[in-house]
Amino acid sequence: MHTHELHWSILGAGAIGTLWASYAFKQGRSAALLLRDNARLEDYRRARGILATLGGSAELLPLPAQSCEEDGAPIDHLLLTTKAPDSLKALSRIDHRLSRGATVVLLQNGLGVREELLQRRPDLHCYQAVTTEGAYRPAPFQVVHAGRGQTLLGGGPNADVLANSLSVGPLDVSATEDIDAALWRKLAVNCAINPLTALYRCRNGELLDNPLALQQLHQVIDEILELGEYMGQPARFDGLREQVLAVVRGTALNRSSMLQDIENGRPSEIDYITGYLCRYASDVGLTLDTNQQLLEQVRALS
Ligand code: NAD
Ligand code: KPL
């Protein structure tokens, strides 16, 4: 399998999906956006493409796109960039087009979608990726590459080939043999920051100025470290506290993705972030009080 031969279908044409599709297009790689329905495809055609700001000035990129309602060629390689709670529903729309044994790369925050997907389609080869790239969508069919980051991909024997194929433009995707470590790291950071910013409706950096929020942030980290010990894998969360504080400072002016979802009346990813953590802990016999409380409070906001 040669890197450049892979054709990617990208499901979830939001910030991250159109970011990858835009760089793929500029590099002459083969990728197509899968839009939710025919009406969305019509809107896209009227917009004549994605208006992408990738570093310099904005450029209109006529990325190939299809509707999930259309019939089309079988899909062998799917990049899934929907938010976690939308993933299964989105996938169900293209289920009939996903070849037996197709490769799906989940590029999203949170954990739990892989298990849900494989329960439904055990034939699929499901890889996972975790990214620190930053992108946002100022308006429909627009994307801004706001911050350079790194992406790790793993979960199977073809991770190298897939990582190469998804490394487009400055998007640097590396294969890792231990994607679980990267996913758990990101999950832990998101568990510490996202629910609290949503509850206190504050920017990431403002957590440091709120004594109650800061105390809760430390309790969340204490509970995750306790879980690591309990799992017999304390090294998994080495330096977590310092890392969380560094991310809070480094993204001080950010409104977290969870805060933005709550403010915009969208379902949040809480069940795949803190929810996954609490379910996992409970399965091994541990209750994480602060995380459980934050889970319930954020659920009540959604
Ligand atoms: P987004 O909301 O911009 O994009 C998600 C897209 O999925 C939307 O365009 C939505 O219309 C589409 N979608 C939802 N349901 C669908 C369906 N049934 N059929 C077809 N399309 C459907 O979100 P995003 O910011 O691109 O984030 C995607 C994932 O990446 C999230 O898990 C997020 O936490 C993670 N992430 C984002 C960033 C970032 O900078 N934006 C950084 C790191 C991780
Ligand atoms: O990943 C993030 C998010 O908002 O989801 C952090 C790291 C908290 C940055 O805002």
Side-chain angles (χ1 to χ4, degrees):
M1 181 164 43
H2 293 292
T3 296
H4 297 91
E5 287 171 5
L6 303 186
H7 170 77
W8 289 95
S9 297
I10 301 181
L11 181 58
I16 290 291
T18 55
L19 182 72
W20 250 268
S22 296
Y23 281 117
F25 178 81
K26 279 173 75 77
Q27 218 166 301
R29 301 280 184 91
S30 182
L33 296 169
L34 291 176
L35 303 180
R36 189 188 295 258
D37 52 32
N38 293 340
R40 190 72 64 109
L41 184 62
E42 272 308 303
D43 291 344
Y44 176 73
R45 289 195 172 133
R46 270 193 290 276
R48 300 198 319 277
I50 297 288
L51 189 65
T53 307
L54 302 176
S57 46
E59 50 192 325
L60 188 63
L61 303 177
L63 312 183
Q66 299 166 350
S67 148
C68 290
E69 288 175 342
E70 286 177 314
D71 272 335
I75 296 170
D76 294 324
H77 291 90
L78 181 77
L79 180 65
L80 183 82
T81 53
T82 53
K83 297 221 167 189
D86 298 323
S87 303
L88 264 260
K89 189 165 172 213
L91 280 158
S92 71
R93 304 238 176 135
I94 53 148
D95 201 31
H96 60 291
R97 284 187 58 194
L98 263 183
S99 317
R100 267 199 85 68
T103 293
V104 178
V105 175
L106 307 180
L107 173 55
Q108 54 186 194
N109 276 351
L111 281 170
V113 171
R114 182 172 193 273
E115 289 88 332
E116 289 177 359
L117 175 60
L118 289 178
Q119 213 165 37
R120 197 189 158 113
R121 285 285 304 262
D123 58 293
L124 297 176
H125 297 288
C126 186
Y127 290 74
Q128 283 174 287
V130 54
T131 190
T132 54
E133 295 290 346
Y136 67 93
R137 208 169 29 144
F141 311 127
Q142 296 189 13
V143 65
V144 176
H145 191 187
R148 292 268 181 99
Q150 284 182 331
T151 306
L152 290 173
L153 183 153
N158 286 329
D160 273 321
V161 174
L162 301 174
N164 271 331
S165 176
L166 289 170
S167 288
V168 282
L171 304 178
D172 173 16
V173 185
S174 310
T176 172
E177 301 228 319
D178 195 359
I179 191 66
D180 278 351
L183 290 164
W184 269 98
R185 252 309 138 159
K186 174 83 175 167
L187 187 87
V189 170
N190 287 137
C191 284
I193 301 174
N194 294 25
L196 288 167
T197 55
L199 279 181
Y200 292 104
R201 309 236 167 195
C202 68
R203 292 177 193 270
N204 295 354
E206 288 166 346
L207 292 174
L208 302 175
D209 307 327
N210 175 340
L212 180 57
L214 190 57
Q215 185 191 16
Q216 287 172 293
L217 181 125
H218 282 293
Q219 283 166 346
V220 167
I221 297 168
D222 289 341
E223 290 180 4
I224 296 173
L225 295 176
E226 188 191 345
L227 176 65
E229 298 273 351
Y230 198 82
M231 287 156 65
Q233 293 184 307
R236 173 150 283 189
F237 299 118
D238 264 354
L240 179 64
R241 196 177 310 274
E242 294 71 22
Q243 187 183 0
V244 168
L245 293 172
V247 173
V248 168
R249 291 194 189 99
T251 61
L253 295 178
N254 271 31
R255 301 171 86 75
S256 77
S257 54
M258 195 169 286
L259 173 61
Q260 292 185 45
D261 285 339
I262 299 285
E263 285 188 336
N264 292 310
R266 293 188 297 251
S268 83
E269 297 189 293
I270 191 74
D271 283 325
Y272 295 84
I273 295 179
T274 309
Y276 184 89
L277 177 80
C278 290
R279 282 195 302 282
Y280 187 94
S282 147
D283 286 349
V284 297
L286 206 59
T287 306
L288 309 180
D289 291 330
T290 303
N291 281 287
Q292 186 64 41
Q293 189 191 359
L294 293 177
L295 171 62
E296 282 155 26
Q297 286 176 313
V298 174
R299 271 188 190 150
L301 293 178
S302 308

